[in-house]
Amino acid sequence: MDYSNFAAYYDALTRNVEYEKRAMRLHYLIRQYIRTETDGTLLTDLACGSGSLSEELAKLGYDVIGVDNSPAMLSAAMDKKMRSGLPIQYLCQDMRELDMFGTIDVTVCMLDSLNHLGTLEDWQRVFERVSLFAQPGGLFLFDMNTLWKHREILADKVFLYDLDDVFCAWENHLLEDNATVEEQLTFFERDGESWYRSEELITERAFPVQTIEGLIRIAGLELVAEYDADKDLDTPEQLSPVSDTTERILFVARKSI
């Protein structure tokens, strides 16, 4: 999916994501777990979207390569890059077909981007491509919406957002597999006295944690740690363990040396 409609409203809908704090947490974890012989600053931001996290990581000194398969999202990212002047490189690629110029110290994939992949085969392809281009001792940090979140928080719920000149109705439907959520987004944008409607259908699927842990090992990566991705963001070095009600898990994996 290219998210051509969603891209226009993505930043407005994610104002509460706290990208700076999430970048600081990633920075802390990278410093804790990196084992490469290089300086550990070459970083790929998979499914970078409109580039908000890429911008924050670049501010922290990382040489960032943002990768996304949506031209519309990358256009928004390039606009931010033009304003900030940060030396971020953006590539239009499907993360299942990741193809880098050389080895990478750190790869991140945040904000449940992997949940948008519908099959375990897709996840495995991503992990294998990340592993292929990872420096020995390099890191792969990614997060995942949990089954609990899909079943208890997102399932069959409706969320309404009234954001300046944009109104969004976000309707969820939990499918029969009890793991996949279809998200129907309907946007109404004001232009003067007129309102314009557009829609986007997004699908996210969650998997058992043990299944994802197995895919990490198959790809030649070592699972180093798991944390609650959304708790204690005000103190990035304070990391909460995963619980039965964790909504999003942050995985830290490392390429074997």
Side-chain angles (χ1 to χ4, degrees):
M1 290 183 289
D2 63 6
Y3 303 115
S4 55
N5 292 323
F6 191 28
Y9 313 109
Y10 183 78
D11 286 341
L13 291 170
T14 57
R15 288 174 182 170
N16 63 340
V17 168
E18 301 182 295
Y19 287 102
E20 181 178 1
K21 294 177 182 178
R22 292 181 186 277
M24 288 299 299
R25 169 158 291 172
L26 291 172
H27 180 61
Y28 174 79
L29 290 170
I30 291 166
R31 295 302 114 198
Q32 287 288 107
Y33 293 116
I34 193 77
R35 295 291 185 271
T36 61
E37 295 181 358
T38 60
D39 59 5
T41 59
L42 184 57
L43 182 147
T44 299
D45 183 8
L46 280 188
C48 64
S50 64
S52 295
L53 183 61
S54 296
E55 290 271 326
E56 296 300 332
L57 290 166
K59 291 175 186 177
L60 292 172
Y62 292 95
D63 297 323
V64 178
I65 303 171
V67 176
D68 204 280
N69 70 342
S70 167
M73 286 289 192
L74 290 175
S75 178
M78 287 297 295
D79 287 343
K80 289 177 185 169
K81 173 184 172 178
M82 294 297 291
R83 293 193 297 270
S84 69
L86 291 167
I88 303 169
Q89 180 179 0
Y90 287 109
L91 300 176
C92 189
Q93 291 184 6
D94 186 323
M95 59 182 168
R96 294 168 293 187
E97 305 296 335
L98 182 67
D99 189 11
M100 306 307 292
F101 307 119
T103 54
I104 304 296
D105 298 314
V106 180
T107 298
V108 303
C109 188
M110 295 290 113
L111 299 176
D112 51 87
S113 294
L114 283 162
N115 288 100
H116 293 261
L117 301 177
T119 69
L120 287 174
E121 290 76 15
D122 288 334
W123 285 65
Q124 188 66 57
R125 287 169 65 187
V126 174
F127 290 0
E128 288 173 352
R129 299 304 289 179
V130 170
S131 180
L132 176 64
F133 291 105
Q135 282 270 18
L139 297 178
F140 181 31
L141 301 98
F142 66 93
D143 65 25
M144 176 189 75
N145 276 351
T146 62
L147 286 166
W148 186 85
K149 180 179 181 179
H150 278 207
R151 294 166 181 172
E152 303 298 330
I153 304 298
L154 297 181
D156 302 314
K157 301 293 197 308
V158 177
F159 303 95
L160 301 176
Y161 300 88
D162 190 358
L163 305 165
D164 299 329
D165 289 333
V166 176
F167 181 83
C168 174
W170 188 312
E171 302 174 75
N172 291 337
H173 177 57
L174 183 66
L175 301 188
E176 292 182 359
D177 65 3
N178 209 29
T180 303
V181 175
E182 282 191 345
E183 304 166 356
Q184 177 68 54
L185 281 68
T186 305
F187 302 101
F188 298 90
E189 183 176 11
R190 179 162 46 196
D191 184 4
E193 297 300 317
S194 302
W195 289 85
Y196 296 91
R197 173 176 173 163
S198 59
E199 296 181 341
E200 192 86 64
L201 179 63
I202 297 172
T203 301
E204 295 197 47
R205 183 178 177 185
F207 295 96
V209 175
Q210 296 82 356
T211 300
I212 302 305
E213 292 171 345
L215 296 184
I216 291 171
R217 290 189 290 269
I218 291 171
L221 300 168
E222 170 196 5
L223 179 62
V224 177
E226 297 172 356
Y227 302 106
D228 190 306
D230 297 325
K231 287 188 176 179
D232 302 312
L233 287 175
D234 289 328
T235 50
E237 70 282 358
Q238 182 175 332
L239 298 158
S240 298
V242 175
S243 72
D244 291 340
T245 57
T246 292
E247 296 183 24
R248 187 188 281 134
I249 298 174
L250 175 58
F251 295 82
V252 183
R254 186 166 55 212
K255 180 70 175 288
S256 300
I257 298 175

